[in-house]
Amino acid sequence: MKQQVEIKAHAIMITLPYQGHLNPFVDLAMQLASKGITVTFVHTQHAHHLITTSRHTPTSDIFSAAPHLDIRYATISDGFPLDFDRDLNWVDYWESLIRDFPSRVSDLVGDIISSSDPSLPPFLVADTFAAWPAMVAQKYNLLNVSFWTQPATEFAIDYHLHLLKQNGHYPPNKDDDEHVINYIPGVAPISTKDLMSHLQEADPTIAHEIVFRAFKEVVKADFILHNTVQELEPHTLSVLSQKQATYAIGPINFSTKTKTSVPIPKSLRHQVDCSKWLDARPRRSVLYISFGSIAQTNREVIQEIAHGLVVSGVSFIWVIRPQIVIDDGTDVLPAGFDEDVKDRGLVVPWCDQLAVLSSPAVGGFLTHCGWNSILESVWCGVPMICYPILYDQPTNRKLVVDDWKIGINLCNGESVCREEVAEKIKKVMSGEASDANLKEIRSKLHDAWSEDGSSHTNFDRFLKDLNHKI
Ligand code: UDP
């Protein structure tokens, strides 16, 4: 039996208000609290508003289902009214998160510290993309734990931006040629077309500012937690750990053994219950399609996928968020689609993705390659068809398709054609595409949080190191 690592300390955690970030963050809070750490968990008021209004039973404390854990819940204003459209105005929103939000966080952290038990030393846990941790940690003399919610590969690439600059790969060349990057320590050779989208764009945007700033700041963190598994990215993690204290603790969302009576609410949107529909379907007969919480595409892509689904004859659940199509939120499906797929297709604006992927009826996932989606799909043993759109997704696709061989590409490049869609759907649903590799990677994920698994061991090592420094 492993010796329990328990420390007396107070984690102050403030989330980034995006689904793909706050999901693992909530699970990290649960894991810390299950080790005896007092947690103050802070959502933005807007995220809290979305989480509570998307449910039938609103709550003022999202952790009320875990009364056995010492998690105190608080909210903070992001500086905008609740009805401000943060997605539509995301440049203004993020400029303010970088410029104005840090001082608001600083005030809140000051208040939390002055009103908490002085025998519990406080420390900060923040998303690597947050703009405030180094400043707040310095002001209150706190340890600064940075949480990276994407693969370590992307972290290593952004961490070594200076090498991309030195080698003339950032800003990207205007020629359209592909180049292989083989000089990032710990990262296998990677084509420029597989880099994260901000590194493929020459003109600076707010996305560049967020990432470049984050990687200037992260060097000041005391500890860096990665939501990945050591066995998946051993070289990358080993090189990173030579630079800073690095711990692979993924998949954190499947780590917690402290079961709650009902799940901790996380979803920012109302989840349509697909369970009855799925229960009536044969094993591995349903394709699940989702492009996550942020990515947008164009009408043509949606329409080609729709035609491909019609041709394939396969049953499906398709998450079509409002605003999934840029500048055009209505009627994105082709005329007559409903009739064509009658009784074998369910289109929903949002669902409980993990519940869907866990259903024995699901046999494939057409995904935008968000990292949480990949972890969830692998965890459930569901092979993927990959259609990355932006951010980390192109690089995640490379890991899934080229390196781990647990999924296939929807097409080469951005444009999608219906015949190829139908062919790829049939291939992934046949199970032949990737079964043996998927089993292997799946057991790496499942083993990671077992008694002696690498993530479990790394988490305990993190707690010991934290205890030592605090
Ligand atoms: N998700 C969900 N319902 C949906 C679609 C997605 O609950 O209908 C969840 C999904 O389970 C995952 C998160 O939203 O945990 C999306 O994160 P990911 O990293 O895959 O993509 P992002 O949204 O950050 O692009």
Side-chain angles (χ1 to χ4, degrees):
M1 258 308 253
K2 221 174 196 182
Q3 220 193 330
Q4 271 284 345
V5 182
E6 276 205 20
I7 66 170
K8 292 287 160 220
H10 180 183
I12 302 173
M13 306 180 67
I14 303 174
T15 54
L16 212 61
Y18 292 99
Q19 199 71 65
H21 293 257
L22 72 84
N23 282 0
F25 213 74
V26 167
D27 293 300
L28 178 59
M30 299 284 286
Q31 191 54 245
L32 287 166
S34 72
K35 298 286 185 178
I37 292 177
T38 295
V39 174
T40 295
F41 185 99
V42 185
H43 263 319
T44 63
Q45 283 165 5
H46 182 244
H48 174 75
H49 171 75
L50 294 180
I51 290 169
T52 49
T53 51
S54 68
R55 286 157 49 86
H56 295 304
T57 45
T59 175
S60 57
D61 176 358
I62 67 159
F63 291 98
S64 57
H68 54 299
L69 299 177
D70 188 2
I71 305 183
R72 298 127 196 223
Y73 183 56
T75 59
I76 183 171
S77 168
D78 60 15
F80 292 89
L82 289 180
D83 60 1
F84 177 75
D85 189 332
R86 288 151 177 83
D87 293 333
L88 194 66
N89 301 292
W90 90 285
V91 174
D92 289 347
Y93 181 52
W94 263 96
E95 278 173 0
S96 169
L97 285 186
I98 291 172
R99 190 187 54 229
D100 312 323
F101 194 57
S103 66
R104 211 172 275 119
V105 172
S106 174
D107 292 348
L108 177 73
V109 169
D111 290 347
I112 293 172
I113 293 171
S114 57
S115 62
S116 42
D117 178 351
S119 70
L120 297 174
F123 64 99
L124 287 180
V125 186
D127 196 290
T128 306
F129 286 122
W132 49 266
M135 179 276 282
V136 175
Q138 194 192 15
K139 178 164 177 188
Y140 296 104
N141 195 21
L142 303 175
L143 288 178
N144 169 3
V145 181
S146 190
F147 182 42
W148 178 248
T149 60
Q150 296 172 1
T153 300
E154 279 92 324
F155 188 98
I157 296 171
D158 278 322
Y159 202 83
H160 293 99
L161 177 68
H162 58 284
L163 295 181
L164 292 172
K165 288 183 176 170
Q166 270 168 30
N167 285 275
H169 288 131
Y170 188 81
N173 294 316
K174 293 271 189 226
D175 64 30
D176 266 333
D177 293 346
E178 252 180 78
H179 299 266
V180 173
I181 292 167
N182 55 6
Y183 49 79
I184 305 283
V187 175
I190 179 168
S191 159
T192 44
K193 76 168 175 32
D194 292 328
L195 288 175
M196 297 85 85
S197 58
H198 62 276
L199 297 175
Q200 298 195 45
E201 292 158 9
D203 299 331
T205 63
I206 188 77
H208 293 85
E209 194 178 337
I210 296 165
V211 180
F212 295 164
R213 193 180 199 291
F215 278 84
K216 265 196 203 138
E217 297 286 313
V218 80
V219 293
K220 300 175 200 155
D222 298 286
F223 303 96
I224 302 169
L225 306 179
H226 291 257
N227 192 23
T228 187
V229 173
Q230 198 163 310
E231 288 77 7
L232 289 185
E233 303 181 272
H235 304 304
T236 317
L237 288 157
S238 144
V239 166
L240 289 173
S241 65
Q242 288 161 25
K243 310 258 181 188
Q244 283 182 263
T246 295
Y247 310 81
I249 57 151
I252 191 73
N253 37 331
F254 299 106
S255 69
T256 179
K257 293 226 168 62
T258 43
K259 295 275 171 261
T260 51
S261 48
V262 285
I264 304 297
K266 297 182 203 163
S267 184
L268 296 168
R269 299 160 197 262
H270 173 67
Q271 297 178 317
V272 175
D273 183 358
C274 304
S275 55
K276 276 210 185 80
W277 191 91
L278 279 166
D279 288 349
R281 311 277 137 183
R283 220 182 115 69
R284 295 208 162 261
S285 65
V286 176
L287 177 76
Y288 171 62
I289 309 168
S290 167
F291 291 160
S293 61
I294 302 171
Q296 291 186 301
T297 185
N298 59 51
R299 174 178 281 267
E300 199 190 328
V301 168
I302 298 287
Q303 301 236 335
E304 287 304 301
I305 292 175
H307 287 299
L309 277 168
V310 172
V311 176
S312 75
V314 163
S315 298
F316 63 89
I317 293 180
W318 191 353
V319 178
I320 302 198
R321 296 188 327 262
Q323 292 159 3
I324 192 147
V325 168
I326 302 158
D327 298 331
D328 186 357
T330 52
D331 284 344
V332 292
L333 290 165
F337 180 72
D338 286 355
E339 268 304 300
D340 289 337
V341 297
K342 204 164 53 184
D343 301 332
R344 69 174 170 91
L346 188 62
V347 176
V348 294
W350 196 248
C351 67
D352 180 344
Q353 175 165 301
L354 191 54
V356 169
L357 289 170
S358 305
S359 163
V362 172
F365 182 7
L366 169 44
T367 172
H368 72 309
C369 296
W371 184 233
N372 293 283
S373 293
I374 291 169
L375 291 175
E376 291 161 12
S377 199
V378 175
W379 184 266
C380 298
V382 177
M384 288 163 272
I385 308 177
C386 297
Y387 184 69
I389 298 175
L390 79 176
Y391 303 140
D392 56 326
Q393 299 151 24
T395 317
N396 294 344
R397 182 219 63 83
K398 187 230 180 219
L399 295 172
V400 167
V401 177
D402 303 345
D403 296 359
W404 302 330
K405 301 185 174 29
I406 52 173
I408 55 176
N409 286 337
L410 181 64
C411 50
N412 286 325
E414 263 175 56
S415 83
V416 175
C417 85
R418 59 191 73 181
E419 292 79 16
E420 209 175 357
V421 172
E423 183 204 321
K424 298 295 171 64
I425 291 175
K426 283 186 193 150
K427 185 167 178 191
V428 91
M429 295 307 288
S430 73
E432 74 182 70
S434 44
D435 252 8
N437 298 330
L438 185 55
K439 266 196 198 122
E440 193 191 323
I441 302 282
R442 183 181 189 220
S443 33
K444 286 183 177 162
L445 252 59
H446 280 251
D447 291 348
W449 270 98
S450 63
E451 184 71 14
D452 292 316
S454 59
S455 292
H456 203 161
T457 307
N458 287 337
F459 196 76
D460 286 351
R461 185 166 56 85
F462 158 65
L463 293 180
K464 271 194 200 133
D465 295 348
L466 177 75
N467 210 13
H468 194 66
K469 264 190 137 177
I470 211 160

